[in-house]
Amino acid sequence: MTTPGLGLPMAVPAEGLPARVRVHEVGARDGLQNEKEVVPTEVKAEFVRRLAAAGLTTVEATSFVHPKWVPQLADAEELFPLVRDLRSPSGQAVHLPVLVPNERGLDRALALGATRVAVFASATESFAKANLNRTVDEALAMFEPVVARARAAGVHVRGYLSMCFGDPWEGPVPVDRVVRVCRALLDMGCDELSLGDTIGVATPGHVGALLTALAGEGVPVSALGVHFHDTYGQALANTLAALRHGVTTVDASAGGLGGCPYAKSATGNLATEDLVWMLTGLGIDTGIDLGLLTATSGWMAGHLGRPSPSRTVRALSHKE
Amino acid sequence: MTTPGLGLPMAVPAEGLPARVRVHEVGARDGLQNEKEVVPTEVKAEFVRRLAAAGLTTVEATSFVHPKWVPQLADAEELFPLVRDLRSPSGQAVHLPVLVPNERGLDRALALGATRVAVFASATESFAKANLNRTVDEALAMFEPVVARARAAGVHVRGYLSMCFGDPWEGPVPVDRVVRVCRALLDMGCDELSLGDTIGVATPGHVGALLTALAGEGVPVSALGVHFHDTYGQALANTLAALRHGVTTVDASAGGLGGCPYAKSATGNLATEDLVWMLTGLGIDTGIDLGLLTATSGWMAGHLGRPSPSRTVRALSHKE
């Protein structure tokens, strides 16, 4: 275990923040999906196991998209059974959501016993076209039967929403357009949304404005997660703003793995370690052991053959 | 000029933040001082000129410490006259503070016409010993005549305070110890303090607790600047917390240059570009042109022979 003064910050709570945050770990899926060199299935399984052992209770495992789209995750059928029955150090079942792009993907996930799935929509027409080759509304129509059938099977559904703040083709994204797509995803039955800053341009006031607008539309903050990218170094400041608005679900990627394929220079996802450093310092409970998590990211960085972009991983690794 | 959607975030203000922030640029001094390869004086002068042309109104220029301590800044006598009379794009005199460790350093600075100087104290005994070979109180006693003589000469004095949150030898630093040294620096006549997180371990609640304690002791927030390091990726979130407590002076280093010599793995200073991205997104006026600033950091990175650690510099450079 890591201890304060030796790899952990002193805990000094701030007013108006939640007592507990659930980290939705995306490293094994979002983090790895753009890696060109295919990672062996057993390494991926060990990555997921180690993340669970570090105390992460939600570990996005893989994606049931067509193997041609994401060759890195073509082993979803082999991987998922290896990790399906994972338990946390406290004995609870670990949530292992998987991405499903359509009904075929849902069928594959259900056949393997998945209990949590995620669909991925876009707030902008340009990205919907680039990522799904559909309009925003066509994509929503495609997800409708997926969500309905998942819910009928008792499966929890997360809706990812990309480009909630800015879009590489369209520039700044109006808040009301994002609210409209959020409303549509919730109305079709999504249990939870993840608000994505896919190109990392958001700043704290913009985050607050979107969360205020969603609250004004009656969306409960408990149904919202945030998914920030650190392209411009803003992810943690944006997370702090989201926590002040009551958000308690934060997406992050162990070691800062991953990025957006449409923004090659992107530093990528918020690193789970940088997030856990801040939350620990704020006295916010996550249940995560930063030492075990950092060791896991160091181990994975070794497999990928390059250092982690997480500042906390680098600082703590240097200390050893 | 950079424009929203093309290298700038959309401006969405948040409540309770200042309308304007003064960035205290430390790249030319704090950023360069640990570079082993000596940068030519004319390159340093051009760096300072470019920073001023990008709209930075306070550019820390150099240090009048003994040349043996910081060989990189041994050319202070040559450099300072090259930049002393710089004006901002709007025609105002640019503030060019210089570090002075003792009366001898002050003499050198005054002889060259410096109008702003800075002394550097430590909140912890371990760092005072390592950096100044004195106890905390011995260091304060050494600065007392420096500050008194500078003030008598009509010179503005900044007091740097290192290790305000954590110390590599002592661990977390108690808030009341920091308050005591702040009080001593102000009582001896410092016009302004810079609260340094030298090893980057601070988190937003800790920042708020220190600022609240200082306010409780009657220290006006207008006399306080913050100086965060990004070692654990926390600098910008900590800055946001400081802004919420009324701080309007933020130290940063163009391109994220520099770091603490006692924490080799340190990513170093908060990058001015990452800070300006957040402030611009919050609609907070800085007077800084992010495009010109990023170009300057890219130019300096070329001279130093390695890429900037600033995420904003990397993202914007990739776009060109």
Side-chain angles (χ1 to χ4, degrees), chain A residues 10 12 172 201 203 205-206 230-234 236-237 240 244 265 267 274 277-278 281-282 309 311-312 315 318-319, chain B residues 10 12 172 201 203 205-206 230-234 236-237 240 244 265 267 274 277-278 281-282 309 311-312 315 318-319:
Chain A
M10 181 162 78
V12 187
V201 296
T203 47
H206 198 167
D230 221 7
T231 321
Y232 296 85
Q234 310 294 310
L236 209 49
L240 182 59
R244 287 197 188 282
S265 70
T267 310
D274 297 9
W277 187 278
M278 183 176 81
L282 286 164
R311 302 195 157 177
T312 298
H318 238 82
K319 277 202 176 142
Chain B
M10 182 163 77
V12 188
V201 296
T203 46
H206 198 166
D230 220 10
T231 321
Y232 295 85
Q234 310 294 309
L236 209 48
L240 183 59
R244 286 197 188 283
S265 69
T267 310
D274 297 10
W277 186 278
M278 182 176 82
L282 286 164
R311 301 194 157 177
T312 299
H318 238 80
K319 276 200 177 145

Side-chain angles (χ1 to χ4, degrees), chain B residues 110-266:
Chain B
L110 292 178
L112 290 171
T115 57
R116 295 202 161 210
V117 299
V119 297
F120 42 98
S122 168
T124 67
E125 295 295 343
S126 301
F127 191 68
K129 184 77 186 163
N131 200 36
L132 301 165
N133 198 27
R134 281 171 170 78
T135 68
V136 168
D137 287 337
E138 284 167 359
L140 291 173
M142 174 175 70
F143 294 133
E144 203 156 345
V146 178
V147 176
R149 287 186 46 212
R151 299 261 305 175
V155 164
H156 180 280
V157 183
R158 162 175 259 225
Y160 276 104
L161 191 54
S162 291
M163 305 295 175
C164 290
F165 300 93
D167 174 289
W169 300 276
E170 302 181 20
V173 177
V175 162
D176 56 358
R177 201 199 302 172
V178 182
V179 170
R180 185 185 75 80
V181 186
C182 284
R183 192 71 267 171
L185 286 166
L186 290 169
D187 288 348
M188 74 172 69
C190 285
D191 297 283
E192 165 182 299
L193 301 182
S194 170
L195 306 170
D197 180 21
T198 316
I199 58 168
V201 296
T203 46
H206 198 166
V207 172
L210 176 56
L211 291 169
T212 300
L214 286 166
E217 287 290 315
V219 175
V221 73
S222 59
L224 298 174
V226 288
H227 185 112
F228 294 122
H229 279 208
D230 220 10
T231 321
Y232 295 85
Q234 310 294 309
L236 209 48
N238 290 338
T239 301
L240 183 59
L243 298 179
R244 286 197 188 283
H245 281 79
V247 168
T248 58
T249 299
V250 181
D251 294 8
S253 176
L257 286 176
C260 173
Y262 296 91
K264 288 282 182 202
S265 69

